[in-house]
Amino acid sequence: MSPVVLDSSLNQGKPAPVEKRPTLEVIGLKKSFGTVEVLKNVSLQVAKSEMVFVLGRSGSGKSTMLRCCNRLEEPNSGDILLEGEKITGRGVNLDRLRRRIGMVFQSFNLYPHLDARGNVTLALRKVLKLSRDEARARADTALARVGLADKAENYPSQLSGGQQQRVAIARAIALEPAVMLFDEPTSALDPELVGDVLGVMRELKQDGMTMLVVSHEMAFAREAADRVVFMADGEIVEEGPPEDLFGNPQHERTRAFLARYSQ
């Protein structure tokens, strides 16, 4: 039989396909506080425009992992890569890093003496060195994006908890980060205010924002997440699409957690 000869002209002028790197990679992360091992060889990837939810009981290491991703906590070992660039170790420009990784906390951390617009423009002027007019325009766009265009001149004391959290989200997205980290963003809110914040997160996902979310909002995770990760005792026990993890969990610890917290 004659050998098959492929026509090399078919691929002329076409670059070879390149495998896309995840936006965020956590590789073999370990973290201890004294003798307590909080993270045990944790590895995780978040693809561009993906929303990944991390579930687990208090003390499972979820928030510590998130804080390591923004270098608010220093891992003992392991690597974190942002768009393929190593951001752990010495010599990393943390100001530049935190422009690329937005973070929203359980507490709103707004400056009480600044109105909503001022809270958003502060980093734009101090970090990005934008002019007053440029910062104001970008802040107003971000506030409109979270549904607070009419609250730009209100101070935190004049805003509800949900509105304050949305200002915090506007502050983060105004920097146009590559990825957003959310650490229990609704846990400090009254139940009737939770929906507004989740609505903003849903819209960010629809706009293509890459997000890593630590939360106990099970119904929202089931509806909106692309992937759900369950952590226990500093380790990732199980992960998968929400319909699989919620509908047919494979690990006993996952089943026990969902039975307790999904009521």
Side-chain angles (χ1 to χ4, degrees), residues 58 63 104-108 165 182-191 193-194 197-198 201 214-217:
S58 297
S63 292
V104 176
F105 301 89
Q106 175 179 341
S107 56
F108 318 128
Q165 189 63 293
F182 290 87
D183 189 7
E184 300 283 7
T186 62
S187 62
L189 301 179
D190 292 333
L193 302 176
V194 169
V197 173
L198 296 181
M201 294 171 66
V214 168
S215 176
H216 284 97
E217 297 290 344

Side-chain angles (χ1 to χ4, degrees), residues 177-247:
V179 60
M180 285 282 291
L181 310 178
F182 290 87
D183 189 7
E184 300 283 7
T186 62
S187 62
L189 301 179
D190 292 333
E192 65 270 19
L193 302 176
V194 169
D196 290 341
V197 173
L198 296 181
V200 169
M201 294 171 66
R202 185 181 293 107
E203 291 177 7
L204 290 177
K205 173 178 167 51
Q206 292 170 351
D207 290 343
M209 178 65 75
T210 305
M211 291 183 278
L212 181 59
V213 182
V214 168
S215 176
H216 284 97
E217 297 290 344
M218 300 287 191
F220 184 65
R222 186 190 292 263
E223 170 211 343
D226 295 295
R227 190 155 40 94
V228 179
V229 174
F230 172 63
M231 289 186 67
D233 300 323
E235 300 176 301
I236 292 179
V237 175
E238 187 171 348
E239 63 178 289
E243 59 269 22
D244 291 346
L245 191 134
F246 286 109

